[in-house]
Amino acid sequence: METILQMYIWLFVGMSYYGYNFGWGSILNDPYLGQILAMVGEIIAYVGAAGLIQCCGRRRAMIIMLIMTTITYLLAIPDVNFEPSKTIDDAKWTLQSVSSLIGLIAASGVFSSVYLWSAELAPSSHRGFVFCLCSSAARIGSFCGPFLFNNLIKENKASTMSVMVFFSLVGVGSCFVLVENEK
């Protein structure tokens, strides 16, 4: 049961992470600026995730970061401009772009957390097999994420983001079931 829940979390994290990383061309007007900001965000995420895990423990840290991901998906639904412009397409900074940067930080933090958690939950004799299953699920998610972010978001942004909110909330529920090793 724990392996299946970990596979689901890896699938969702792969979907979120690669959806953000391959979607900067449609999220910001300048994809190069998006990639630079994503790089800085990932550094912040990995350092911050380690500190959050040290402070709160793996389960609480994962739940906090998954809830942060859920909130960023909800914030990305409305079309809100931070800079005055005539149309949404002319805007450089929107609520979607800012929440996507924060969501990338949360998704990267969840990825580093679930990687550490998977290494501890699997027994030594099965650890390689569990990592293979989990990374296979993440690869499926990494294929679905850019498809959702780049293709379906143009059709109906609210329904696409609502699906991601649902996946994120199921990930939060999965964290409550997983066992945390106290070491």
Side-chain angles (χ1 to χ4, degrees):
M1 180 70 172
E2 291 174 359
T3 304
I4 293 172
L5 292 175
Q6 285 180 356
M7 286 173 59
Y8 174 77
I9 293 173
W10 278 68
L11 179 118
F12 170 72
V13 168
M15 192 181 304
S16 295
Y17 181 80
Y18 286 103
Y20 284 129
N21 276 333
F22 286 112
W24 288 118
S26 61
I27 293 172
L28 288 175
N29 290 344
D30 186 8
Y32 300 111
L33 176 64
Q35 290 295 334
I36 289 170
L37 291 173
M39 177 194 63
V40 171
E42 286 190 36
I43 293 169
I44 293 168
Y46 294 130
V47 171
L52 193 62
I53 289 170
Q54 184 71 29
C55 175
C56 302
R58 285 180 186 82
R59 177 178 292 144
R60 287 188 193 117
M62 289 260 303
I63 290 170
I64 289 168
M65 288 183 280
L66 282 169
I67 289 174
M68 194 165 95
T69 305
T70 304
I71 291 170
T72 59
Y73 283 132
L74 288 173
L75 289 175
I77 292 174
D79 290 327
V80 177
N81 292 329
F82 291 135
E83 295 180 4
S85 65
K86 295 179 182 175
T87 64
I88 297 292
D89 294 335
D90 294 339
K92 293 183 180 178
W93 288 100
T94 62
L95 186 60
Q96 180 186 11
S97 61
V98 173
S99 66
S100 295
L101 287 171
I102 296 168
L104 176 71
I105 291 170
S108 299
V110 171
F111 179 75
S112 64
S113 300
V114 75
Y115 191 87
L116 290 172
W117 207 352
S118 297
E120 290 222 351
L121 285 182
S124 297
S125 60
H126 297 87
R127 190 168 294 144
F129 181 67
V130 170
F131 268 113
C132 287
L133 289 175
C134 290
S135 68
S136 297
R139 287 178 188 213
I140 293 169
S142 67
F143 171 76
C144 296
F147 177 74
L148 283 172
F149 276 77
N150 293 333
N151 298 332
L152 295 182
I153 205 164
K154 295 173 187 171
E155 305 281 328
N156 190 352
K157 183 167 53 169
S159 64
T160 304
M161 291 298 173
S162 299
V163 167
M164 296 304 287
V165 165
F166 173 74
F167 286 155
S168 179
L169 290 175
V170 172
V172 169
S174 302
C175 288
F176 281 111
V177 177
L178 288 175
V179 177
E180 184 171 9
N181 292 341
E182 300 292 332
K183 289 187 180 182

